[in-house]
Amino acid sequence: MFQKKILVAAVAAMSLSFGAQALTIDLFSTPQANLIDYTNGSQAYADGLSSQAGSAGDLTILGGYRDAWVTALSGANNNSGEELGSKLGVSGGLLRFSNDSGVVGVAELQWDGGLDAANPSVIDSAVGLGGVSFAGLTNFELTTVESDLGYTIELTIYSSATNWTKVSLDAHAVSGDSAPVVSYIPLAAFSNDFLCGSYGADTDVNLISCGGTGADLNSITALTARINAGDTVAGQNPTTNIDLRLTSVNVVPEPASLALVGLGLLGLGAARRRKAA
């Protein structure tokens, strides 16, 4: 059961917490030049464009560095001056991802703490962030300024190259005329091994998948967010013409008003545990 609240700013969400400190993943205050892919390809890193932003002392990005990757899948065209493609960049405190008219594209952000400007699309999932802990934190917090269409986002937490958990979920359209929407995604979806392999585990959740023993939230080496990937289990294709703007990604303690968020996920895990026993 995911709950959405409209808040004026992330500070308001912080004030609702029990006193534990939030962890910033990315405030998008460090700019990153636009990547524009005009060539149709696949959802493989080799078929897209990538770049890196940040520095070792950048406290607005977890690990100091942000890797960005974007690829057009269909509809892209750079002939006859049409210049139709998929675009990803960070400016003015916003992540901006968009597909031109008739174009389907996918983007990914990576936070792995590594300075690898020559190969930014390579995830350092073995060492990366060096074992960051989410202890005392209960929710991902995504602040969306505008999204003209709904889309699928895949969040993946790595504890090593072989131990990871991925949650695929549907995000909804957000009107540019409304206040920013803050969405909370329970970390219970990533920390309960009995949820691995489940489809439709909760409202708006598609597939929860795991590698090895899944992610250890007390020892995190990398995080990724793939935007507009589509729900492959349901045969859903990525959305065309999407225009998305995000202002921040954080991991936060549980706000008092969201005390029941994630109970559906925890309940499903308990039921699967009893069945396995």
Side-chain angles (χ1 to χ4, degrees), residues 76-272:
N77 191 345
N78 196 23
N79 297 324
S80 304
E82 285 189 273
E83 294 189 339
L84 301 175
S86 297
K87 305 174 183 179
L88 177 68
V90 177
S91 62
L94 295 174
L95 168 93
R96 304 168 188 266
F97 168 64
S98 63
N99 291 322
D100 288 327
S101 178
V103 178
V104 173
V106 174
E108 183 171 290
L109 299 176
Q110 303 168 1
W111 301 275
D112 61 4
L115 174 58
D116 190 4
N119 298 288
S121 60
V122 177
I123 304 172
D124 185 1
S125 54
V127 179
L129 297 171
V132 169
S133 175
F134 281 1
L137 302 172
T138 54
N139 297 284
F140 270 108
E141 177 191 77
L142 305 177
T143 305
T144 307
V145 172
E146 182 178 5
S147 177
D148 62 341
L149 294 171
Y151 62 96
T152 298
I153 183 168
E154 293 178 349
L155 297 172
T156 306
I157 299 178
Y158 293 86
S159 291
S160 70
T162 56
N163 298 313
W164 50 267
T165 302
K166 178 190 297 182
V167 175
S168 170
L169 59 140
D170 291 329
H172 301 284
V174 176
S175 171
D177 297 328
S178 65
V181 170
V182 180
S183 303
Y184 296 96
I185 303 164
L187 289 176
F190 298 86
S191 60
N192 192 331
D193 291 345
F194 284 87
L195 292 175
C196 293
S198 61
Y199 181 79
D202 213 336
T203 303
D204 293 332
V205 173
N206 298 320
L207 179 66
I208 300 177
S209 54
C210 305
T213 58
D216 177 358
L217 297 187
N218 293 312
S219 181
I220 296 168
T221 56
L223 301 171
T224 66
R226 183 164 287 206
I227 301 168
N228 202 37
D231 180 1
T232 55
V233 175
Q236 171 190 337
N237 294 319
T239 303
T240 185
N241 300 351
I242 190 173
D243 189 357
L244 170 67
R245 301 178 185 182
L246 300 176
T247 63
S248 63
V249 180
N250 303 293
V251 184
V252 298
E254 190 161 17
S257 60
L258 294 178
L260 297 181
V261 168
L263 285 185
L265 289 167
L266 292 172
L268 177 61
R272 295 185 64 158

Side-chain angles (χ1 to χ4, degrees), residues 36-42 47-48 71-74 76-78 84-86:
I36 308 176
D37 188 17
Y38 294 119
T39 305
N40 297 314
S42 65
D47 286 327
T71 183
L73 302 178
S74 64
N77 191 345
N78 196 23
L84 301 175
S86 297

